[in-house]
């Protein structure tokens, strides 16, 4: 039966453009399935009933988690929602017999790893699997995996925020919210906002950007890295005081901290490779502002085209800011359109579309501390690494910038073949020097 929070139950609604892109990708050769994962180690006097109720409340009010599709969805799948039944188990509670906390953690990692790579059974299974493991009265693990068609980075953030907020509310004798903005309604609005005029503008814009991406092949001119290919990561952090000052300076010039970091990255990359034009890809969240708290899939890849990059970091940052806004305006294209545009660009340009540089940008309102306190609990996120599962990065360089309230964390991954450690280290050092120049010491 349709519930109060699920008015569209049983009624098909369109896939978002990003769902369509992702689903088309899953039909391609060489696709490796991976669900979105969350995991928390919980130490202390946990009220397991309150936590299970908080998780259930999250699932019930967010209709993306009610999603159903045809058992074998073809190239043009249908989707609809099926409300959560009153007696339906949302959280699987398991008492784990382990000889030690270390063995319990190992078991949690193995279980999370299995859930992470288990494909969704479209016709019979909910698009999530949530487990609450118990080692003893003061040691638990909350493991959750979600099908990517219903979960993106914003949804990931909302889960962690809302579940622990509602846990506090329930412990205080209150009731969590029973409604949330509808993913089904947001998907319909996204399609309705796309007129033929906007679609034509998006086609022209993507055509121009993809043509540019055929003209910036990797590797750059120069000798190939010597020795065997060894992938790796170089990392750095900007502490709280520097981030606070940088945030103020960026606001003065209408940049964000993350835009500033990417501007410094492309400036350093141009200087180290001798390239004045840089093409890179990023993930773009196309949610409208009214849909900021919608759980669902609205994140898709987007090319950024940066021209005439020189030593002027202000210009580079401005280009990054403008390109991100430009990409956001022109995301509304279907998978068939993007497939045709990519083919056209490669045939016209006589070269593959470059996909060698990727930038992943994330911003969290909270602290970067690995653990947090909720009602005397010690909660550690990402406490259980995947066990015997490795996903290989396909990019020559992959920049990950994560902004917290108290610091900026930067990781630069390199594949060891098209980009080696020496280049990655030099680029990251230049970024740090640029940040230091932006934020004077003291």
């Amino acid at each position: 039966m349709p519930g109060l929070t699920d008015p569209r139950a049983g009624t098909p609604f369109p896939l978002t453009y990003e769902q369509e892109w992702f689903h088309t990708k899953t039909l391609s050769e060489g696709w490796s399935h991976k669900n979105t994962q969350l995991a928390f180690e919980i130490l202390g006097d946990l009220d397991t009933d309150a936590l299970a109720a908080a998780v259930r409340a999250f699932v019930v009010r967010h209709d993306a988690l009610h999603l159903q599709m045809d058992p074998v969805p073809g190239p043009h799948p249908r989707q609809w929602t099926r409300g959560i039944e009153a007696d339906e188990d949302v959280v699987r509670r398991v008492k784990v017999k382990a000889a030690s906390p270390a063995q319990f953690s190992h078991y949690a990692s193995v279980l999370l790893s299995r859930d992470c790579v288990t494909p969704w059974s479209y016709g019979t299974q909910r698009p999530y699997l949530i487990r609450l493991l118990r080692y003893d009265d003061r040691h638990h693990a909350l493991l959750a995996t979600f099908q990517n068609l219903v979960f993106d980075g914003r949804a990931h953030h909302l889960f962690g925020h809302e579940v622990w907020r509602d846990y506090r509310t329930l412990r205080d004798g209150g009731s969590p919210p029973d409604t949330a903005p509808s993913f089904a309604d947001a998907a319909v609005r996204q399609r309705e906002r796309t007129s033929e005029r906007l679609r034509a503008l998006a086609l022209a814009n993507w055509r121009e950007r993809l043509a540019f991406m055929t003209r910036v092949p990797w590797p750059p001119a120069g000798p190939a890295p010597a020795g065997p290919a060894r992938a790796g990561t170089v990392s750095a952090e900007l502490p709280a005081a520097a981030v606070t000052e940088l945030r103020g300076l960026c606001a003065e010039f209408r940049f964000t901290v993350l835009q500033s970091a990417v501007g410094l990255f492309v400036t350093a990359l141009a200087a180290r490779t001798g390239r004045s034009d840089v093409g890179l890809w990023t993930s773009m969240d196309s949610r409208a502002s009214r849909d900021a708290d919608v759980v669902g899939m609205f994140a898709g890849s987007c090319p950024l085209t940066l021209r005439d990059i020189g030593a002027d970091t202000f210009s580079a940052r401005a280009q990054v800011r403008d390109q991100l806004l430009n990409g956001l305006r022109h995301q509304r294209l279907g998978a068939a359109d993007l497939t045709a545009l990519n083919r056209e660009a490669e045939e016209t340009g006589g070269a593959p579309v470059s996909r060698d540089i990727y930038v992943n940008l994330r911003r969290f309102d909270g602290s970067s501390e690995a653990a947090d306190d909720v009602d005397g609990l010690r909660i550690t996120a990402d406490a259980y690494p995947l066990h015997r599962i490795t996903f290989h990065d396909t990019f020559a360089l992959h920049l990950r910038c994560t902004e917290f309230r108290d610091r900026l964390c930067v990781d630069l991954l390199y594949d060891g073949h098209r980009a080696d450690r020496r280049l990655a280290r030099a680029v990251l050092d230049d970024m740090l020097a640029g940040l230091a120049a932006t934020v004077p010491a003291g």
Side-chain angles (χ1 to χ4, degrees), residues 298-311:
F298 287 99
S301 295
C302 173
L304 306 182
T305 58
L306 304 161
R307 296 171 169 84
D308 298 323
I309 301 298

Side-chain angles (χ1 to χ4, degrees), residues 18-247:
E18 293 78 13
Q19 280 184 301
E20 188 180 317
W21 298 355
F22 182 83
H23 177 67
T24 300
K25 192 175 179 181
T26 67
L27 300 178
S28 63
E29 293 183 5
W31 170 254
S32 296
H33 181 86
K34 179 188 177 188
N35 295 313
T36 300
Q37 69 194 48
L38 297 95
F40 301 91
E41 180 187 60
I42 309 162
L43 303 179
D45 293 323
L46 175 69
D47 185 334
T48 56
D49 290 338
L51 179 56
V55 172
R56 180 182 178 83
F58 180 88
V59 170
V60 167
R61 69 175 173 261
H62 288 291
D63 61 351
L65 302 182
H66 310 172
L67 186 66
Q68 299 288 287
M69 300 183 77
D70 292 321
V72 183
H76 307 289
R78 302 181 309 145
Q79 67 178 354
W80 61 92
T81 57
R82 177 170 61 88
I84 307 298
E85 302 293 338
D87 60 351
E88 185 175 347
D89 288 333
V90 169
V91 179
R92 301 186 184 185
R93 303 197 203 190
V94 181
K95 173 65 173 77
V96 178
K97 294 182 179 179
S100 66
Q103 189 180 75
F104 174 76
S105 295
H106 176 77
Y107 176 78
S109 287
V110 171
L111 195 57
L112 181 66
S113 301
R114 188 184 71 186
D115 292 345
C116 179
V117 297
T118 300
W120 177 27
S121 179
Y122 289 88
T124 60
Q125 185 184 359
R126 293 295 189 182
Y128 60 83
L129 182 55
I130 304 172
R131 305 179 188 270
L132 180 57
L133 310 184
R134 178 183 181 273
Y135 172 66
D136 60 29
D137 290 344
R138 296 183 56 80
H139 191 167
H140 295 80
L142 179 65
L143 311 179
T145 52
F146 299 88
Q147 222 290 342
N148 286 101
L149 280 172
V150 304
F151 228 69
D152 59 10
R154 176 62 181 167
H156 191 287
H157 175 73
L158 289 169
F159 181 88
H161 170 71
E162 293 185 10
V163 164
W164 292 112
R165 177 202 66 193
D166 293 350
Y167 175 81
R168 290 188 184 95
T169 298
L170 288 160
R171 290 274 290 173
D172 292 340
S175 299
D178 57 7
T179 61
S182 167
F183 173 62
D185 290 346
V188 170
R189 284 195 297 270
Q190 186 196 59
R191 295 286 180 164
E192 289 176 346
R193 291 197 308 265
T194 307
S195 65
E196 282 303 311
R197 183 183 70 85
L198 291 176
R199 179 174 176 275
L201 290 173
L203 285 168
N205 187 273
W206 271 84
R207 183 174 287 113
E208 178 184 351
R209 282 184 287 162
L210 291 175
F212 177 92
M213 299 300 280
T214 67
R215 301 194 297 269
V216 288
W218 191 273
R230 292 185 178 179
T233 304
V234 291
S235 303
E237 290 186 1
L238 198 65
V243 171
T244 299
E245 189 165 355
L246 178 61
R247 205 171 276 135

Side-chain angles (χ1 to χ4, degrees), residues 260-329:
S260 183
V262 178
L264 290 167
F265 169 69
V266 295
T267 301
L269 189 63
R272 292 291 177 172
T273 63
R275 309 171 67 157
S276 61
D277 292 344
V278 177
L280 54 86
W281 291 78
T282 190
S283 181
M284 183 70 66
D285 186 337
S286 69
R287 282 174 177 78
S289 57
R290 66 176 292 182
D291 297 326
D293 291 334
V294 172
V295 167
M297 169 54 86
F298 287 99
S301 295
C302 173
L304 306 182
T305 58
L306 304 161
R307 296 171 169 84
D308 298 323
I309 301 298
D312 182 0
T313 59
F314 184 92
S315 174
R317 295 177 212 195
Q319 279 202 60
V320 169
R321 176 192 61 200
D322 294 346
Q323 279 288 301
L324 288 169
L325 291 173
N326 175 64
L328 184 58
R329 293 191 192 101

Side-chain angles (χ1 to χ4, degrees), residues 388-407:
R388 294 184 178 179
I389 295 176
T390 302
F391 293 93
H392 296 287
D393 214 321
T394 60
F395 309 104
L397 287 170
H398 180 175
L399 178 71
R400 294 176 177 169
C401 295
T402 306
E403 180 188 357
F404 297 96
R405 184 178 64 246
D406 61 335
R407 70 185 61 206

